[in-house]
Amino acid sequence: MKRHVAFLTGTFAVALSLLQPLSSASAAVDGWLSWRGPNQNGTSDEKGLPDAVDPKKPLWTADFRGQSTPVVANGKLYIMGYIDRGPDLQEGITCFDAETGKQLWQHLFNDFISDIIYLRYATSAPTVDPETGNVFIQGTQGIFASFTPDGKLLWKHSLMEKYGRMTFPNGRTPSPLIDGDYVITRYITSNWGAQGAAGDRFYAFDKKTGELAWASSPGDRPRDNSFSYPFLAWYKGYRVFYTALGDGSVACVNARTGEPIWRVNLFKAGINATVCVHNNDKVIAVFGTPYEPGQMVALKIPDVTPQPGAAGPVVIERSQVELWSNPGLSSSASSPILVGDRVYLVKEKGELSCVDANSGKVLWNLQLGIEQRNACPLYADGKLYVPILDDPDAKGSEQNADAAGGAGTKGGFYIIKPSDTEGKIINKVSLDGRCFGTPIAYNGKIYVQTAEKLYCFGKAGNNAGLAKAKPPEAWPKAGPAAQLQIIPSEVLLYPGQTASFRIRSLDAKGLVVQENIDPKSVKWDSYIPPTALVKAKMDGAFNAEGKLAAPQGAKMSAGAFEATMGNLKGYIRGRVLTGFPIKQDFESFMLSETTTNTVEEPTKFAYPPLPWIGARFRFEVREIDGTKALCKTIDNKLFQRGTIFMGDPTMKNYTIQADIMSDGNKRKMSDAGLICHRYQILLKGNEQKLEINSNLERFRFPAPDAPPNFRWSAKTWYTLKARVDTKPDGSGTIRAKAWKRGEPEPEAWTLEVEHKTAHQEGAPGLFGFSPQEMHVYLDNVLVTPNN
C-alpha cells in the first residue's frame, strides 16, 4: 500500500465539536510537573520572580548532588540525586517540602552492571502525574518506578533485566513522560525476538499498574543513546510526539499505539537535545557533539498519511522539509527553549544565542562560559535563568567537564533580560558545584541543582504572580473500533502461573473506543509473525477465563498470541522460564543456519535461546571441540560486548556456574563470565584476572592496575562459579572461583569481596566481550538455589 506524503500549509486543527476532555485528566495537581514545564518548551507564565539571587542567602539548600531538574507538585519538590562517590554510591529520588526544604522521604537504588564514569548520575528528572500526583522516575541503572506523593512504592521495573536496557558511560538518562493513562520512557534496548536487535525504543506503561501497553522502535540502528524529551501534540487527529533519536533523526510517533509515522535523518551521531515545536507547523532541532560541530535545523512538519500496522515510518529526505539551517548553532546535550518567535540556546562552548524561529537568523550572542553540557535555560517573567557548567571567573573552572563534581569547582548562574538586540546580564553568581541541571520556576521561587547541592532562591510564601493551572486538555472523540489493545502486551510466566489481561478496542488512530472488554469474548490463537527468524510458540494456552496459563512442567519458550473479536485483532507476546535449577548445555539445538559475515568462514549455527534477554545478534550456538556451546559473535563491532539475562530481576540466593573458553593466544584473548545478583564475575583474557565488578569505575576488584590473579590459557576450557551471600544489615559477600575444567573444584573461593550496600537480588546471566575478533564460548550453564 502506498503512503501519501505532502507538506503542511498551516496548523492542524481539530473541530471543537469533536473535542472532549480526556477522562483521566483533572486539575487535582498543580505545579511544575515535568522537565520541560507546563508549556513543554522550558518557559513559565509566572510573574514576580527574582531579578537576582544570592548563594550566600538562599531561601534554603539541601546537600543532594546531581544533574537533575526538580519538579514541584502540591507543595512538594521531587528531584533525582545521589549519595556517596565510591563503591556504595546510590542514586534515587528525594522529596522535599518546596517551601522549607525539609526532607520528607527518599528512595535510593544501587548502580549495577554499568560503565558509568565521572559521577554522571541523576541526569533525568522525575515526572508527576497531573491526575493522581504519583511520581515516576528512571534511574541511571534503569530502575523505572512509580511512587505515591507520600513516597510509597507502587511498582518498579528493572529495564535492564526485563527489556535489555543497555548501559553507556555518558549516563544520559531520559525523563518519564505522562500522556493520559500512559507513562512513557525510552532507552536503547536489546530485548528478545523482534526486539532483539539494539534499538532506540519507547515504552508506554499503564501509569497505575506498571503494565506494558506498547513498545516502539521508530529509528534505524542507533549510533548513541539519547535522552531527548518527547513533545506531545496533535497531528491529523492523532495523538503524537515529536522527538530526536539515537540514530541522528527526528521522528513523529503515535503516542497511543507506538506506531512510527515519519522520520527525517539529520546527523551521523545520536541527537540528545529536545526539539521545539513552533506554531504547530515546524520542528526545530539542534545537534552536534563535543568533537564534531552540528547545527540547528527547522523542518516543516510533513503531511504524511499514517498507515496503522505499517512496517515502519515514512523516511523523508531532509531537503524536502528543511525550512532553514544554521551551522553556527551546535549543541550535544543542552536543549533550546522557545519563547514566542525566539529560540534561546546555550551552545557547546558556553555562548548564549538568540535565534529567530522563522528564519534561523542569530539576533545576538552572549559569551557566558567556556563550555556547556546538559543544562538548559529557563524563561520566566521576562527573564532568562541560565546555568553554565563552569563559572569562568571561579577557581576550579578549568577542570575537565567530565569531572562532574570535585572540591573547588563552581558553576555559573546568570539572570539575563533578553530583547531582540541584546541579552543584558542583570545578575551573575557562582554556585557550589558544577551546573548540569536545568532550573525551574514555581510559586515565586527558582530551584536549581548542582553537582554539590540543591538551591532554592526567592521569597517565602505564595506568589501573587503564580500562573493559573491550565485546564484539562480536550481530546477528539474516538471513531469506530478498528483494533484491539491488550495490556500487558508482554508477559513472563513460570510453570503453573497465569496472566490476566485488560482488553480494549481502539479506533484507527489509537483512541479508546471501549474499555474492559470481557476476555472470554475474545478468541486466542498462537501467532508466528511472518518476519520471525525463529518460528517458535510459547508453551502456554488461554483457559476458559481468558487467562494465559503456563502448565506445570512448561518448557522454556517464547512466542506470540493473536486475539480476535469479530474483525478486530490484537497481539501480545510472552516468555516462559523454568526457574531453579536453570540448566543449559545447548546439545538440543539444531545447527540449521549458516553465517554470512565477512570476517570468518561460513559456519553452521543455531540462534540462542529465544526467551533469554539480550542474546540475539550477539551470541550463537555453534559446535566446538565436538560439543555445542554458546559463542560470542565477532562480525559486528557495535556488538563486541554482550550481556544475557536468563531470569527475572527478583531472583536471589543462588549459585551460578558455566564453562568458558576463549580463542586467541598468549597475547590476545577475549573476556567472558557470569552475572550473579547484579555483579559481573569475569575471566579477563588479556589481563589474566578473575574479576568481580558492578561498576567499572567504582566497584571493581581487583583494581585495574593490580597484577594478574588467575592465569588461564586460550583454547582451554575453564569452569567459573559464583554466589552472593547477603546479610540482614544490607551488606553482602560476593564469592567467585575458577578452575580448569575436568580438574577437582577447589574448596576455597578465589575471590571474596565485601559490599556494604550489596545488591539484594538480580537475574542470573552471562557475559561475553570479544574486542579483537576472537570468539569466546560458554557451555554447561547451571544455576541452583543456595541451601
Side-chain angles (χ1 to χ4, degrees), residues 252-324:
C252 174
V253 178
N254 186 328
R256 305 312 298 166
T257 65
E259 292 176 304
I261 298 175
W262 55 258
R263 187 176 82 235
V264 180
N265 297 322
L266 295 177
F267 194 44
K268 57 184 178 181
I271 301 177
N272 280 287
T274 295
V275 302
C276 294
V277 177
H278 180 243
N279 289 340
N280 290 327
D281 64 0
K282 68 173 73 70
V283 174
I284 299 174
V286 65
F287 49 86
T289 76
Y291 317 104
E292 185 168 359
Q295 55 187 242
M296 183 179 285
V297 179
L299 306 174
K300 190 176 186 66
I301 294 177
D303 183 4
V304 172
T305 302
Q307 297 291 334
V314 174
V315 179
I316 300 169
E317 291 295 327
R318 171 177 168 174
S319 60
Q320 292 182 275
V321 291
E322 181 177 314
L323 296 172
W324 55 260

Side-chain angles (χ1 to χ4, degrees), residues 172-375:
R172 291 191 293 261
T173 306
S175 304
L177 172 72
I178 297 291
D179 187 44
D181 54 350
Y182 291 156
V183 55
I184 300 172
T185 193
R186 69 180 300 176
Y187 214 78
I188 293 181
T189 63
S190 180
N191 197 357
W192 67 274
Q195 298 174 24
D200 186 1
R201 294 188 173 90
F202 292 81
Y203 294 86
F205 297 85
D206 183 300
K207 68 183 182 184
K208 294 182 179 179
T209 67
E211 295 172 317
L212 183 66
W214 55 254
S216 175
S217 308
D220 206 343
R221 176 180 290 178
R223 298 178 174 94
D224 196 3
N225 61 322
S226 171
F227 63 0
S228 178
Y229 196 67
F231 184 99
L232 289 164
W234 289 99
Y235 177 88
K236 289 190 166 184
Y238 289 77
R239 183 63 163 177
V240 302
F241 59 78
Y242 303 109
T243 187
L245 298 176
D247 67 351
S249 69
V250 168
C252 174
V253 178
N254 186 328
R256 305 312 298 166
T257 65
E259 292 176 304
I261 298 175
W262 55 258
R263 187 176 82 235
V264 180
N265 297 322
L266 295 177
F267 194 44
K268 57 184 178 181
I271 301 177
N272 280 287
T274 295
V275 302
C276 294
V277 177
H278 180 243
N279 289 340
N280 290 327
D281 64 0
K282 68 173 73 70
V283 174
I284 299 174
V286 65
F287 49 86
T289 76
Y291 317 104
E292 185 168 359
Q295 55 187 242
M296 183 179 285
V297 179
L299 306 174
K300 190 176 186 66
I301 294 177
D303 183 4
V304 172
T305 302
Q307 297 291 334
V314 174
V315 179
I316 300 169
E317 291 295 327
R318 171 177 168 174
S319 60
Q320 292 182 275
V321 291
E322 181 177 314
L323 296 172
W324 55 260
S325 62
N326 190 324
L329 301 167
S330 179
S331 171
S332 61
S334 180
S335 298
I337 65 172
L338 181 66
V339 184
D341 290 333
R342 299 293 175 259
V343 180
Y344 296 99
L345 171 71
V346 180
K347 295 185 289 188
E348 195 74 25
K349 299 303 181 182
E351 186 177 51
L352 174 65
S353 295
C354 174
V355 184
D356 185 334
N358 292 301
S359 67
K361 178 183 178 181
V362 175
L363 302 182
W364 51 261
N365 292 311
L366 181 62
Q367 192 70 46
L368 301 179
I370 55 176
E371 58 185 325
Q372 186 74 328
R373 283 295 182 264
N374 304 355

Side-chain angles (χ1 to χ4, degrees), residues 132-143:
T132 63
N134 293 336
V135 189
F136 302 85
I137 67 164
Q138 183 180 170
T140 307
Q141 76 293 86
I143 294 296

Side-chain angles (χ1 to χ4, degrees), residues 8 43 52 125 131 204 219 227 235 242 258 275 328 406 514 567 633 641 730 779:
L8 293 181
T43 69
E131 177 196 2
F227 63 0
Y235 177 88
Y242 303 109
V275 302
Q514 181 184 352
N567 63 344
T633 56
R641 181 173 59 179
D779 198 6

